[in-house]
């Protein structure tokens, strides 16, 4: 019956799943694995299909593939308790008793959960969030303060972006159940998302002291890196990879940390160790490409091509490999081949994205409608009058990291990172509206008192302290803050704002070929990145009209052509004396987390201004969208 179903509905994923399970039960292991390969070729994120692979490899006593399959299933859906059991058995067969015990404990924990919560957990990992929330809330009404239900509801809230509620639920859960280590793990994740890095580190320290074990150590290392304690992070990562060289994710995190502190050579080896531990680990290859200065070997390119030909590569591994191949071939001047892979990677990534051009346009229209001259005139003396922040805004890949590195080289300025604090303030102002309700922000700005505006500004400064040194000024380089210049003016009227601007074609294509760790979903399509650029320009024009002189626009091409002139212009705008160190920005020793980390450690990067021209024929759809901006660019 399953074979007939697959024949009649060849794109029905569940038909392949039923057939694979039936074949395994019939003892036809090879047929089951072949069917699962067909399924995963159509949907590389099907967690239960990987679990089935694990069951089949277990029957073959192929323990290495068994462990690999169950781990992949659990990466996608940690609520699959049969995978935890299979993983434990596979690890034990490999002689890895400590890891097997941890997996077994997870299996036992899940097995003891009420069926309703287990179903809710699976629904959550399958992104059926509202159904999962309904089950969880219904269960809690009958079982108040149930620890697992509180934890699960918090995770669902975090997935829905309601971080305040998630924070409160997990904090309450731990007050009632202080030894619930899994809840503390999750609490740390929510604190990190809320940019409460000091609190997250303290919770990680508490967990490490209470539970111990490798996972606690890894989490503590990650949190240490988030607050700039890279020495501690690397000491832990070094020990962990020596003890467990098959933990590909730890190799990757170690590589990221080494890259951040400028140890490019060691970072490269860490990324290579990551793909040695997991040969189809797309993120390891992309991390090498994302160093920008790295050049792939022939063998690495051959490996990536071979992996692309395999049917069961997970979607996220596949699109990471696509972007890495695009970069590898671009570096070898194979521009046609390069664009093919960039295009494939963007198409795959777009399947996961929720970006809407129409929604973005509506949001832009709302900013223009509500953030008007009257609002700013009425609040001319409001806000927190501290001059500390320098905001660098714009679109990604527009040269903002270069401007940050220049300014952070000044002795009176601290460089930080892309801080999420303004976004968090926006989220609080939006509140938790119901579907179909009119959005509160930015209209709510008209309702805020002078006291409230000052408090929001002071809270922003307090939350930024963890990232600062001793300098009087600091940089917040979150590009997307360009949307919220109106809010920034109201809460921090003495802050400086710099708009990093780059040639429309160069900026948009650079975004199109960049795979971002999170966000920036507008970049995964030529037409939509062009439309987004147009809305960005439209909004920046609005800020120029209602807040004249507030924002300094700096063109990337101008910095390339006249570094000293633009440095003096930047420093003068920020009220800073000239400092020779700003011209030698590439010698500044500081942590840089963005994709341009290696580029800004070199003298001025000239080749970036014309790269897009190698792809000009393929970029015609983008050129059409940007025709108006291209005419204006030379006149700005």
């Amino acid at each position: 019956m399953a074979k007939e179903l697959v024949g009649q509905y060849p794109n029905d994923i569940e038909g392949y799943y039923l057939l694979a399970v039936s074949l395994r039960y019939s003892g036809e292991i090879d047929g089951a694995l072949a069917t699962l390969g067909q399924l995963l070729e159509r949907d590389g994120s099907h967690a239960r299909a990987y679990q089935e692979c694990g069951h089949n490899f277990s029957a073959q006593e192929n323990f290495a593939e068994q462990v690999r399959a169950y781990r992949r299933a659990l990466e996608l859906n940690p609520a699959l308790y049969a995978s935890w059991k299979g993983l434990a058995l596979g690890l034990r067969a490999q002689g890895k008793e400590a890891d097997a015990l941890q997996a077994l404990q997870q299996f036992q924990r899940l097995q003891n959960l009420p069926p309703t919560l287990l179903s809710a957990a699976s629904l959550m990992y399958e992104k059926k969030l509202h159904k999962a929330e309904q089950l969880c809330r219904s269960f809690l009404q009958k079982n108040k303060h149930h620890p697992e239900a509180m934890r699960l509801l918090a995770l669902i809230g975090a997935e829905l972006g309601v971080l305040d509620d998630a924070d409160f639920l997990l904090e309450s859960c731990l007050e009632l159940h202080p030894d619930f280590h899994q809840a503390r793990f999750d609490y740390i994740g929510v604190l990190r998302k809320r940019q409460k890095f000091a609190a997250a580190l303290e919770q990680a320290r508490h967990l490490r002291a209470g539970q111990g074990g490798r996972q606690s150590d890894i989490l503590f290392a990650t949190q240490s890196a988030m607050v700039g304690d890279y020495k501690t992070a690397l000491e832990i990562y070094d020990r962990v990879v020596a003890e467990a060289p098959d933990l590909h994710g730890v190799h990757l995190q170690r590589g990221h940390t080494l890259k951040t502190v400028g140890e490019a050579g060691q970072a490269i080896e860490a990324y290579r160790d990551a793909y040695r531990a997991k040969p189809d680990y797309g993120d390891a290859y992309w991390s090498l490409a994302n160093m920008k200065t790295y050049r792939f070997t022939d063998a690495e390119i051959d490996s990536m091509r071979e992996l692309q030909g395999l049917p069961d590569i997970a979607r996220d591994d596949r699109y990471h490999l696509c972007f890495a191949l695009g970069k590898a071939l671009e570096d070898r001047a194979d521009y046609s081949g390069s664009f093919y892979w960039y295009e494939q990677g963007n198409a795959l990534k777009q399947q996961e994205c929720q970006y809407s051009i129409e929604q973005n346009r509506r949001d832009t229209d709302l900013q223009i409608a509500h953030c008007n001259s009257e609002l700013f005139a009425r609040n001319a003396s409001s806000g927190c009058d501290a001059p500390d922040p320098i905001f660098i805004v714009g679109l990604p890949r527009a040269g903002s990291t270069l401007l940050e590195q220049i300014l952070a080289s000044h002795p009176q300025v601290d460089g930080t990172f892309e801080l999420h604090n303004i976004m968090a303030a926006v989220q609080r102002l939006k509140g938790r509206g119901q579907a179909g309700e009119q959005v509160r922000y930015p209209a709510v700005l008209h309702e805020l008192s002078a006291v409230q505006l000052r408090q929001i500004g002071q809270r922003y400064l307090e939350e930024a302290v963890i990232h600062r040194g001793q300098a009087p000024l600091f940089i917040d380089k979150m590009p997307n803050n360009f949307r919220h210049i109106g809010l920034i003016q109201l809460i921090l009227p003495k802050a400086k704002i710099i708009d990093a601007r780059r040639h429309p074609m160069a900026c948009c294509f650079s975004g199109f070929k960049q795979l971002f760790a999170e966000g920036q979903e507008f970049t995964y399509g030529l037409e939509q990145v062009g439309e987004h650029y147009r809305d960005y320009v439209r909004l920046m024009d609005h800020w120029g009209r209602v807040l004249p002189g507030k924002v300094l626009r700096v063109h990337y091409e101008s910095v390339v052509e006249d570094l000293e002139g633009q440095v003096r212009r930047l420093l003068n705008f920020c009220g800073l004396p000239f400092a020779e160190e700003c011209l030698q920005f590439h010698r500044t020793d500081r942590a840089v987390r963005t994709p341009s980390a290696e580029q800004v450690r070199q003298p001025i990067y000239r080749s970036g201004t014309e790269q897009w021209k190698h792809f000009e024929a393929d970029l015609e759809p983008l050129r059409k969208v940007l025709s108006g901006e291209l005419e204006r660019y030379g006149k700005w």
Side-chain angles (χ1 to χ4, degrees), residues 3 34 62 202 230 286 307 393 449 478 543 619:
K3 285 178 179 177
N62 184 343
E202 187 55 39
Y230 302 109
W286 167 245
L307 288 167
V393 303
S449 67
M478 171 56 74
W543 299 132
L619 299 180

Side-chain angles (χ1 to χ4, degrees), residues 391-395 398-399 403 485 496-504 533 536-545 547-559 565-567 569-570 573 629 632-636:
F391 291 93
I392 301 178
V393 303
L395 292 188
L403 299 185
I485 287 174
K496 302 297 183 184
I497 305 175
I498 298 163
D499 173 23
R501 191 74 63 95
R502 188 178 179 189
H503 186 282
Y533 188 99
Y536 151 68
V537 169
R538 186 162 64 94
L539 186 53
M540 293 308 300
D541 286 349
H542 170 73
W543 299 132
R545 288 190 298 271
L547 294 170
K550 179 65 183 179
V551 181
L552 178 72
R553 182 182 302 147
V554 180
H555 290 236
Y556 175 77
E557 297 81 9
S558 299
V559 178
Q566 291 300 313
V567 166
R569 182 169 169 255
L570 273 167
F573 177 75
E629 278 60 39
R632 292 180 61 195
Y633 191 73
K635 302 173 186 175
W636 279 325

Side-chain angles (χ1 to χ4, degrees), residues 116 120 123 128-141 153 156:
T116 300
L123 287 167
K128 299 171 183 175
L129 299 177
H130 292 290
K131 178 64 176 172
E133 182 180 8
Q134 288 173 0
L135 283 177
C136 241
R137 288 190 181 279
S138 175
F139 183 87
L140 272 171
Q141 285 174 355
L153 187 58
I156 294 166

